[in-house]
Amino acid sequence: MLDNLPRGTICIEDIEMGMMRYVQKVVTDKDIEMFAEVSTDCNPVHLDDDYAQDTIFEGRIAHGMLTAGLVSAVIGEQLPGHGTIYMSQNLKFLAPVRPGDLVRAEVEVTGIEVDRRRVKLDCRCMVDGKKVLIGEAMVMAPSRKFD
């Protein structure tokens, strides 16, 4: 995985509007197979070439939640990072991600409530500059005061 900053923690006291972090990852056949095993979602559109050819996607696609997991990686590892607690997440899937696609997952700070340690984040994933996932997350950020 490639990212723009080291992993760790940004405490609520240091978070600023407009801060953005990302990770990039090529989604592999192995990723899809492992996600199917862990999640128990073995839908053949993800795993069976012949089956998937006869779908609207005309080929295998990655699980949507595998793509969404890259957003979680940015939130849990970079912004805010270690110690962050998810409060909510909404997602809209705009296009399929296929094996071999390089996905760039980004989060950007759009709201901060320092007293409640809440951070609102715009979330998006892109393949070749095209958005494949959009959404918004609310998280509880770590604080130097309490953590």
Side-chain angles (χ1 to χ4, degrees), residues 31 35 39 41 46 61-73 86 89-93 97 125 133:
D31 294 330
F35 190 89
S39 69
D41 177 355
H46 306 303
I61 61 171
H63 301 74
M65 295 310 290
L66 182 132
T67 303
L70 298 176
V71 169
S72 180
Y86 252 108
Q89 174 81 64
N90 68 52
L91 300 168
K92 184 173 182 179
F93 299 94
V97 171
C125 291
L133 176 153

Side-chain angles (χ1 to χ4, degrees), residues 98-117:
R98 300 181 184 281
D101 281 350
L102 174 65
V103 178
R104 179 181 171 111
E106 299 178 350
V107 301
E108 182 176 352
V109 176
T110 59
I112 306 168
E113 295 178 56
V114 176
D115 57 328
R116 297 181 64 216
R117 298 171 51 188

Side-chain angles (χ1 to χ4, degrees), residues 10 15 19-21 74-75 77-81 107 109 121:
I10 303 174
I15 293 175
M19 279 182 138
M20 193 272 291
R21 299 290 186 272
V74 180
I75 291 170
E77 293 287 337
Q78 292 185 344
L79 182 61
V107 301
V109 176
L121 299 163

Side-chain angles (χ1 to χ4, degrees), residues 5-139:
L5 284 175
R7 296 164 191 283
T9 303
I10 303 174
C11 292
I12 189 71
E13 295 87 358
D14 300 319
I15 293 175
E16 298 174 1
M17 292 292 289
M19 279 182 138
M20 193 272 291
R21 299 290 186 272
Y22 70 87
V23 299
Q24 295 184 125
K25 181 181 187 345
V26 173
V27 174
T28 66
D29 288 326
K30 183 177 178 183
D31 294 330
I32 294 169
E33 291 164 8
M34 289 185 346
F35 190 89
E37 184 176 342
V38 169
S39 69
T40 70
D41 177 355
C42 296
N43 184 329
V45 76
H46 306 303
L47 302 170
D48 183 320
D49 287 315
D50 293 333
Y51 176 92
Q53 280 301 320
D54 292 332
T55 68
I56 62 171
F57 302 111
E58 299 178 339
R60 287 187 313 111
I61 61 171
H63 301 74
M65 295 310 290
L66 182 132
T67 303
L70 298 176
V71 169
S72 180
V74 180
I75 291 170
E77 293 287 337
Q78 292 185 344
L79 182 61
H82 298 174
T84 300
I85 304 298
Y86 252 108
M87 307 299 290
S88 66
Q89 174 81 64
N90 68 52
L91 300 168
K92 184 173 182 179
F93 299 94
L94 304 175
V97 171
R98 300 181 184 281
D101 281 350
L102 174 65
V103 178
R104 179 181 171 111
E106 299 178 350
V107 301
E108 182 176 352
V109 176
T110 59
I112 306 168
E113 295 178 56
V114 176
D115 57 328
R116 297 181 64 216
R117 298 171 51 188
R118 302 291 194 267
V119 180
K120 187 168 145 182
L121 299 163
D122 180 62
C123 308
R124 55 195 168 265
C125 291
M126 290 153 306
V127 172
D128 294 327
K130 177 183 177 185
K131 289 182 183 175
V132 296
L133 176 153
I134 58 173
E136 187 175 85
M138 180 66 72
V139 300

